[in-house]
Amino acid sequence: QVQLVESGGGLVQAGGSLRLTCVASGSTSMAAVIGWYRQAPGKQRELVATISRDGRTNVADSVKGRFTISGDNSNTGVYLQMNTVRAEDTAVYYCNYNVLGRQYWGQGTLVTVSS
């Protein structure tokens, strides 16, 4: 089992910045792909960005150029730097830990962007 703890969510004004942190513990793996998904009210959960141990990233078009994902060398921490946020970025952000198809989810952290 892998446990994920997210932090960093909150209220931010449009155009501002926020940094999300996710820390994994338990049966972590260097083969894991870690990332962030989000779910806005009334919408399906969607990919924001993921990163693998070798640094390869997959970033949604809607946040490219504004959000940056990074990880640590132990593959147990992932960070999402959110810049120039918009009202449409308002959502619950979930940390995801994918080990060869087996997925673990954090409890989610709410990001609210005020206009």
Side-chain angles (χ1 to χ4, degrees):
Q1 291 289 328
V2 174
Q3 294 78 43
L4 302 171
V5 178
E6 301 130 330
S7 61
L11 177 64
V12 59
Q13 285 190 332
S17 298
L18 208 60
R19 180 176 170 88
L20 304 184
T21 297
C22 175
V23 177
S25 61
S27 300
T28 59
S29 168
M30 296 299 279
V33 175
I34 320 177
W36 294 92
Y37 289 70
R38 68 185 182 185
Q39 187 166 18
K43 294 188 176 181
Q44 289 189 330
R45 192 173 296 189
E46 63 177 6
L47 168 77
V48 178
T50 62
I51 186 168
S52 58
R53 175 62 179 87
D54 60 4
R56 285 178 295 173
T57 60
N58 182 20
V59 182
D61 288 342
S62 59
V63 305
K64 271 181 185 174
R66 301 188 297 120
F67 292 8
T68 302
I69 188 169
S70 60
D72 63 20
N73 290 332
S74 64
N75 218 32
T76 59
V78 64
Y79 315 94
L80 186 69
Q81 179 65 43
M82 306 168 60
N83 296 329
T84 320
V85 296
R86 304 168 180 166
E88 54 263 39
D89 296 321
T90 294
V92 177
Y93 285 70
Y94 295 93
C95 182
N96 175 268
Y97 199 88
N98 188 328
V99 184
L100 302 176
R102 184 167 184 174
Q103 300 200 59
Y104 300 90
W105 295 92
Q107 79 284 359
T109 185
L110 177 63
V111 172
T112 303
V113 181
S114 64
S115 56

